[in-house]
Amino acid sequence: MCGLVGVLNPNLTSEIALEKLKNSQNLIAHRGEDSQETYFDKVNNFFIAFNRLAIVDLDPRSNQPMKYTYKNKSIRGMMNGEIYNYKELKRDLINDGYSFTTNSDTEVFLAFILSEGIHSLNKINGIFGAFIFDEFNKKFFLIRDQIGVKPIYYIKNNPMYNFVFASEIKAFKPFIDLRPSTKELSEFCCFGETSSTKTIYENIYQIEPGHYLEISLNDEKKP
């Protein structure tokens, strides 16, 4: 179990955004105590943080967020979960000319997305909630595994923070007040789940199992 949180293109100073990010990261520190890393991209104006529980490859080189580069393309990301077939994927990638500096499944995950593209997620066998920034195409992705074991939540169109995501709803406390949705809470009590992207909290959404959210500067969409 690891914890991730991020803020994309906030409408406030970088100092305040970074402070909010670290407060959020501390709220989910229980999800990973092996390393706590933050990253601020000044050019693309996004802030991400990761609390790591080291399971696959205990080396600090596998700490996240992580960057993978191949030829003239780079991808940066972080993943909560585990890729069960990462050794097979890694072998195929090496045969295609890719190289690796760690033994982690996260590095393989990033290299695979860089090689095969976001539409090939069905080839990945695992449970994961992930954030990806495609530096070459300037696109962000939030991804959830097919079964939906690892959740990814988000708030959007916030006047101050614009877009915030996290692996746990508690992480949103530094950004917004957590207010239960009467309608969705009633539905959850009746059926044990909420519909589509809704959660039991107002203005907090979730990536559906087996789906991803694609985000750019002026557009966001989910296939």
Side-chain angles (χ1 to χ4, degrees):
M1 180 175 67
C2 300
L4 54 89
V5 60
V7 187
L8 310 183
N9 198 28
N11 298 312
L12 68 171
T13 66
S14 59
E15 292 79 9
I16 296 176
L18 188 58
E19 180 184 2
K20 294 286 186 180
L21 179 80
K22 290 183 177 179
N23 290 339
S24 177
Q25 182 183 27
N26 289 335
L27 286 174
I28 57 172
H30 61 279
R31 300 185 66 91
E33 299 181 353
D34 292 312
S35 73
Q36 290 78 39
E37 306 285 345
T38 59
Y39 174 78
F40 168 39
D41 188 316
K42 295 182 180 179
V43 175
N44 299 289
N45 194 29
F46 71 89
F47 306 72
I48 52 178
F50 194 83
N51 295 330
R52 183 187 181 204
L53 178 64
I55 297 177
V56 177
D57 189 5
L58 306 184
D59 195 288
R61 291 181 305 173
S62 294
N63 289 348
Q64 303 179 49
M66 182 182 291
K67 182 177 181 178
Y68 188 90
T69 300
Y70 180 71
K71 295 185 177 178
N72 65 332
K73 296 182 179 180
S74 293
I75 191 169
R76 188 181 298 273
M78 46 189 183
M79 179 191 70
N80 169 36
E82 186 175 353
I83 306 302
Y84 301 135
N85 64 334
Y86 80 97
K87 292 183 179 180
E88 290 82 2
L89 297 176
K90 185 175 184 177
R91 181 189 62 232
D92 293 341
L93 288 165
I94 290 174
N95 290 337
D96 290 337
Y98 286 75
S99 61
F100 297 88
T101 60
T102 77
N103 293 315
S104 72
D105 54 348
T106 300
E107 188 180 21
V108 174
F109 179 81
L110 295 178
F112 178 83
I113 297 297
L114 190 62
S115 172
E116 301 294 324
I118 198 72
H119 298 292
S120 299
L121 288 170
N122 61 340
K123 296 181 181 179
I124 299 177
N125 178 15
I127 53 175
F128 51 89
F131 164 81
I132 294 291
F133 176 53
D134 182 339
E135 295 187 352
F136 183 79
N137 294 304
K138 302 296 182 182
K139 290 183 178 182
F140 302 95
F141 297 93
L142 295 178
I143 311 166
R144 189 175 182 186
D145 65 86
Q146 288 89 339
I147 303 175
V149 175
K150 300 296 184 179
I152 291 286
Y153 303 100
Y154 62 93
I155 59 176
K156 61 180 180 178
N157 302 324
N158 183 280
M160 290 184 63
Y161 310 112
N162 190 28
F163 192 100
V164 186
F165 66 90
S167 54
E168 189 171 330
I169 289 177
K170 182 167 64 174
F172 293 123
K173 284 185 176 181
F175 302 102
I176 62 171
D177 293 330
L178 300 184
R179 298 178 179 177
S181 168
T182 303
K183 179 179 179 298
E184 299 302 330
L185 188 57
S186 176
E187 183 174 313
F188 181 82
C189 291
C190 290
F191 303 106
E193 60 182 3
T194 56
S195 58
S196 90
T197 61
K198 300 290 183 65
T199 70
I200 62 173
Y201 291 94
E202 293 181 357
N203 302 316
I204 297 180
Y205 305 89
Q206 62 180 331
I207 305 297
E208 295 182 82
H211 287 68
Y212 65 86
L213 184 70
E214 179 181 324
I215 307 161
S216 64
L217 290 177
N218 301 308
D219 175 63
E220 61 183 50
K221 59 185 178 179
K222 182 186 70 177

